[in-house]
Amino acid sequence: MTEMDELYQELVMAHGSSPSNFHEIENADRTAEGFNPFCGDQLTLYLRIENDVITDAAFVGKGCAISKASASLMTEAVKGKTMDEAQAKFTAFHKMTTRGMEEYEADGLGDLEVLAGVTQFPTRIKCAILSWRTLESALKAEGEKVSTE
Ligand code: ZN
């Protein structure tokens, strides 16, 4: 295993078993639901937004370690960011997971870059992207259930 693979395993295990921001937010400004039928992952995302800034982000749900780790890292990554910045992170993460690290230009994703390890397991990419698609839906206030299908 490469160093990156080891980091990936550690990150998924740590965040998958005890995710950050794993709770509901009462009176959230935005909520969105996501479902990944390929794996059975489901989550509800809560955002609190003040003056275009995401002041709080949290989620509840059930699913595999990758989906939980991704949601955990995603909520950490968007807290304190503007909605535009959060959208830009989604775009960067999506690019990274669909094209892999070779074409990926570092864009301040931090720990999220380790999740690029998921590209070795194409069937799990949907698990990693689910929380981000749900974030996008919440930002756009689409109000529809997101599916990775
Ligand atoms: Zn999954």
Side-chain angles (χ1 to χ4, degrees):
M1 280 209 307
T2 66
E3 195 181 334
M4 200 68 177
D5 290 339
E6 278 173 36
L7 271 175
Y8 169 76
Q9 299 282 358
E10 273 173 32
L11 192 79
V12 168
M13 298 243 291
H15 282 266
S17 58
S18 55
S20 306
N21 307 310
F22 191 69
H23 57 82
E24 294 180 15
I25 294 177
E26 248 179 79
N27 305 317
D29 295 299
R30 300 278 175 88
T31 61
E33 285 180 46
F35 178 56
N36 172 20
F38 295 92
C39 182
D41 310 315
Q42 57 187 83
L43 66 91
T44 305
L45 177 70
Y46 304 88
L47 298 178
R48 197 179 286 288
I49 295 170
E50 283 168 39
N51 301 323
D52 267 10
V53 174
I54 300 170
T55 55
D56 203 3
F59 75 103
V60 295
K62 54 182 182 178
C64 66
I66 294 173
S67 70
K68 275 193 182 161
S70 178
S72 172
L73 290 163
M74 182 277 286
T75 49
E76 283 182 357
V78 300
K79 260 196 218 184
K81 300 288 184 293
T82 66
M83 291 169 72
D84 284 349
E85 285 167 345
Q87 180 67 39
K89 276 189 187 288
F90 164 76
T91 306
F93 187 81
H94 189 254
K95 239 187 244 177
M96 178 180 82
T97 49
T98 50
R99 293 186 201 165
M101 288 302 273
E102 299 80 45
E103 286 188 47
Y104 169 70
E105 286 168 38
D107 197 13
L109 284 175
D111 273 356
L112 292 168
E113 289 178 25
V114 177
L115 266 188
V118 79
T119 52
Q120 300 169 76
F121 315 101
T123 55
R124 310 313 296 275
I125 292 174
K126 288 186 164 66
C127 301
I129 206 79
L130 175 66
S131 62
W132 288 89
R133 288 217 180 281
T134 310
L135 169 72
E136 194 189 31
S137 170
L139 291 174
K140 290 182 176 167
E142 286 170 338
E144 278 173 32
K145 199 164 183 173
V146 176
S147 173
T148 55
E149 214 160 359

